[in-house]
Amino acid sequence: MKKGIFIETENVNRFRTVMRQALDTERGRPGMVCVYSQAGLGKSLAAEQHYALHGGAYVRVWEEWTQQAFLQAICFELTGTRPHGSDRCKWSICEALDDNRRVIYVDEADRLNIKRIEDLRDIYVYTGVPIVLIGEPGLPTMLSARSRVDDRIPAEYRVEFAPISSMDVLLYAEEAAGLNLSPEACAHVAKITKGNFRRIHNMLLSLEQIAMAADTVEVGVEMVRRVRL
């Protein structure tokens, strides 16, 4: 299969729409962004791709990060420095964003101590830049515990990634593996993988091998049933 293939799924399109609104300083709506779902549905990949195109600061949370370590990670992404002391880090972040408005992406945000979310709220209040919190299904509940944070996330900026659809399976199979899956095959793949992108990727690797052995690019539901996850 081809590497580096990025499919613009329905989830990705909804995420991009929200980001366009959040970044539009003239006609958009200010706010923090919450992106959540079960693991394996492509939310991190979508955020990474958006970061690669538009820049900003992208950090993936480490377990039991202290306030200073967390803020240093963000500061390093924006300025290339790691100031000593949490206050210095926070002010350096705010000054860097004041000079150059950029998005802050925080992946696996559900692993953060709620006080670190409050640090992000401070940065948002001071700078107004979009802050994207990415995590698993418990993230919205975690954020709802602090109304000062929750109130800054508009309803339309809460993006839940749904299981990958049959149409997404069709597009990914064509572009990544050069396979033509029948509608029934696409539906079966989506069903047995529960729309999990990682499982779909692994299934397509197996289907590619079976199709190559049969010297064909046409994949029906019977071929899909031969694959075991």
Side-chain angles (χ1 to χ4, degrees):
M1 286 176 63
K2 298 177 183 177
K3 295 182 179 180
I5 297 297
F6 185 81
I7 302 299
E8 296 186 2
T9 64
E10 297 169 15
N11 290 325
V12 170
N13 288 330
R14 287 190 296 112
F15 173 68
R16 286 180 175 174
T17 297
V18 167
M19 292 309 299
R20 280 196 297 271
Q21 293 173 351
L23 285 165
D24 189 340
T25 56
E26 294 183 1
R27 294 171 295 177
R29 179 177 180 180
M32 298 171 68
V33 177
C34 174
V35 184
Y36 62 101
S37 75
Q38 296 288 348
L41 299 187
K43 58 187 180 297
S44 293
L45 188 61
E48 289 169 358
Q49 196 263 356
H50 196 273
Y51 163 68
L53 291 174
H54 300 280
Y58 194 107
V59 296
R60 181 170 280 106
V61 173
W62 285 25
E63 191 69 24
E64 297 184 358
W65 246 351
T66 64
Q67 181 185 34
Q68 178 171 296
F70 174 56
L71 293 173
Q72 281 181 332
I74 297 173
C75 194
F76 185 77
E77 284 286 308
L78 294 170
T79 70
T81 65
R82 298 180 187 272
H84 182 71
S86 299
D87 285 345
R88 287 183 180 179
C89 282
K90 194 177 290 188
W91 280 114
S92 294
I93 291 167
C94 290
E95 289 169 359
L97 293 172
D98 195 41
D99 292 337
N100 183 7
R101 179 181 170 86
R102 286 165 284 176
V103 180
I104 296 176
Y105 307 82
V106 182
D107 203 352
E108 299 189 23
D110 52 299
R111 298 174 66 191
L112 282 173
N113 183 299
I114 193 64
K115 292 181 179 180
R116 303 294 75 78
I117 302 293
E118 291 283 8
D119 286 327
L120 292 170
R121 182 187 68 86
D122 288 341
I123 294 168
Y124 170 76
V125 169
Y126 187 86
T127 66
V129 303
I131 294 178
V132 182
L133 303 173
I134 307 153
E136 296 201 356
L139 180 60
T141 301
M142 172 187 172
L143 299 175
S144 69
R146 295 293 177 99
S147 61
R148 291 175 299 186
V149 175
D150 201 48
D151 291 347
R152 287 176 167 81
I153 307 174
E156 60 267 36
Y157 286 8
R158 301 168 189 262
V159 184
E160 181 178 10
F161 268 47
I164 304 299
S165 70
S166 296
M167 182 57 68
D168 294 332
V169 172
L170 175 66
L171 294 174
Y172 188 53
E174 287 179 348
E175 296 193 26
L179 298 176
N180 296 324
L181 270 65
S182 70
E184 294 79 8
C186 290
H188 194 63
V189 169
K191 179 181 179 180
I192 64 177
T193 61
K194 297 181 179 179
N196 184 295
F197 182 79
R198 294 171 192 162
R199 295 173 188 167
I200 290 169
H201 176 79
N202 290 335
M203 174 161 275
L204 288 177
L205 285 172
S206 298
L207 287 172
E208 183 181 43
Q209 293 300 314
I210 295 172
M212 287 177 62
D215 193 25
T216 183
V217 295
E218 303 298 327
V219 176
V221 70
E222 291 303 322
M223 187 181 292
V224 173
R225 287 178 177 145
R226 292 166 58 187
V227 178
R228 295 289 180 267
L229 290 176

